[in-house]
């Protein structure tokens, strides 16, 4: 497999809208080449009879089942609020009228 070139890294950086210095291009070209080589090695080992997996170990769901529960009434939700207006939390205005 051919090594990724400095020009290809610069092209990818432009597409990604990343501003990279000249020395970073050389460094990233070497790193990306190592990554591509590692992926190629894994592809060589992978056999057609082995199913793809996302995890090495089986995962189980540890969440509880969804159940309806009673919620707070508006009065209960607003009980601890420092200021209330029209059954809503009253907060200081942060944007001016001109915006």
């Amino acid at each position: 497999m051919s090594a990724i070139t400095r020009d290809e890294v610069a092209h990818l950086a432009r597409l990604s809208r990343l501003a990279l210095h000249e020395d970073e291009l050389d460094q990233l070209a070497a790193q990306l080449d190592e990554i591509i080589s590692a992926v190629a090695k894994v592809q060589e080992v992978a056999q057609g009879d082995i199913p793809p997996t996302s995890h090495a170990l089986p995962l189980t769901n540890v969440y509880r089942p969804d159940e309806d529960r009673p919620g707070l009434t508006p009065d209960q939700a607003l009980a601890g609020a420092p200021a209330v207006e029209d059954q809503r939390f009253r907060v200081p205005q942060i944007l001016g009228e001109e915006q």
Side-chain angles (χ1 to χ4, degrees), residues 31-74:
Q31 290 176 352
L32 287 173
D33 192 44
E34 286 182 36
I35 292 169
I36 291 170
S37 296
V39 170
K41 286 180 186 176
V42 170
Q43 288 177 335
E44 289 173 7
V45 173
Q47 299 294 321
D49 58 340
I50 299 173
T53 59
S54 61
H55 296 351
L57 301 173
L59 299 177
T60 57
N61 189 352
V62 295
Y63 299 109
R64 63 170 173 75
D66 289 336
E67 299 172 353
D68 286 339
R69 292 184 177 178
L72 297 174
T73 66

Side-chain angles (χ1 to χ4, degrees), residues 65-99:
D66 289 336
E67 299 172 353
D68 286 339
R69 292 184 177 178
L72 297 174
T73 66
D75 291 333
Q76 290 171 327
L78 297 169
V84 175
E85 182 177 308
D86 296 328
Q87 284 196 331
R88 297 185 184 123
F89 295 101
R90 180 168 167 64
V91 296
Q93 182 176 351
I94 58 170
L95 298 176
E97 291 295 322
E98 68 277 355
Q99 295 178 345

